[in-house]
Amino acid sequence: MRFTEEYFREYAEAMDEVETVMDMKCPFDEKTRRLIAFALAIKDRNPTAVKAQFHAAVMSGVKFKELAYVESMVEFEGSRYGNTWLHEALGDWTQLTKDDYNAGCSCGVVRRY
């Protein structure tokens, strides 16, 4: 959102406020929230978001088996046949488990972890 932050600062600030409200009003525990965010990133087919959400989930205590189940469920329910882009996006997923991992995005997930 760097372009927006520079040329439409009001929008960027409003999105920060929305994120704050979403955090405050979230009815889910942190692990569930991270699993949902991971699933949505997969469904959106956004490799950067997938990596960021995978990392955030691991940092909040989500187990690898839980992530694998969510990944499998999204792939199965979303396409059911031959969708392999996610395996390429995750690549060496062990790198995503490191405390100092940087997904390369400027979303709220990265700001938190």
Side-chain angles (χ1 to χ4, degrees), residues 32-99:
T32 302
R33 183 169 172 242
R34 291 294 160 211
L35 287 168
I36 292 168
F38 181 58
L40 292 171
I42 293 169
K43 189 62 182 154
D44 195 37
R45 300 179 63 103
N46 182 332
T48 303
V50 165
K51 292 173 184 178
Q53 293 299 343
F54 185 102
H55 176 73
V58 169
M59 293 297 107
S60 52
V62 173
K63 305 289 183 238
F64 297 138
K65 186 168 186 137
E66 294 168 318
L67 287 164
Y69 181 83
V70 168
E71 173 189 341
S72 299
M73 187 172 72
V74 173
E75 283 189 343
F76 179 77
E77 294 299 332
S79 67
R80 298 193 186 240
Y81 304 104
N83 186 358
T84 60
W85 79 270
L86 181 57
H87 299 287
E88 294 169 13
L90 285 175
D92 181 7
W93 62 270
T94 60
Q95 297 300 309
L96 307 178
T97 66
K98 296 180 177 176
D99 288 340

